[in-house]
Amino acid sequence: MMEVNTIRQMATPWSGGRGLTTGLMLTEVYQDVWTGRLLLSMGIPTKMDIPPQVIYQLQFDHLFGYRVLEGADVLDYMDDDDFGSDSQIQLITPSRFLIWFHQQSKGLHLDEDIQHYRIASWDYCVDVLAAQDPLVKRKKE
């Protein structure tokens, strides 16, 4: 049996995500292990059998960890009030994922200002622990 986690998480829209197109779908998660860079590509679905054209990329440079969950799995994992947000990129505070990370790393990074970013689309959810805001890149049409 899984124990109930008593930490109540709050999701607030990340200010850097204001003005982004809504209804984005995650199309690719790419990690360059050499540089430590994580790129999340997002686009708008147009047809069922064609991958969405990438509109935005989120680039995380100072990465501590991330996880990718499928949408159906995320529903059970998130608190009910996490879904009321108008932004697909959110900051989670307090963060169960960040607490778990500090436990795993034995507090080695407690003095760093690590934020928990959640990038949610209808099919996937990516949680990212990073010490710097992601760079939002708009792809050329």
Side-chain angles (χ1 to χ4, degrees), residues 38-120:
L38 178 71
L39 284 175
L40 303 179
S41 299
M42 302 171 84
I44 298 285
T46 51
K47 295 188 175 140
M48 288 294 286
D49 54 347
I50 299 172
Q53 182 178 354
V54 173
I55 299 176
Y56 299 107
Q57 278 190 321
L58 288 182
Q59 176 180 312
F60 289 91
D61 287 320
H62 197 157
L63 184 69
F64 287 92
Y66 69 97
R67 65 182 176 198
V68 180
L69 298 171
E70 283 201 41
D73 300 327
V74 175
L75 289 174
D76 294 334
Y77 191 80
M78 291 190 194
D79 293 334
D80 293 340
D81 59 358
D82 282 354
F83 281 106
S85 175
D86 58 352
S87 173
Q88 289 187 264
I89 307 169
Q90 304 165 338
L91 287 171
I92 308 296
T93 53
S95 163
R96 296 179 203 138
F97 186 31
L98 183 54
I99 290 168
W100 172 86
F101 170 78
H102 285 311
Q103 289 170 338
Q104 298 304 306
S105 61
K106 301 198 181 339
L108 190 63
H109 303 284
L110 278 170
D111 59 341
E112 304 204 43
D113 185 22
I114 302 172
Q115 299 294 321
H116 175 177
Y117 297 87
R118 173 168 286 156
I119 298 88

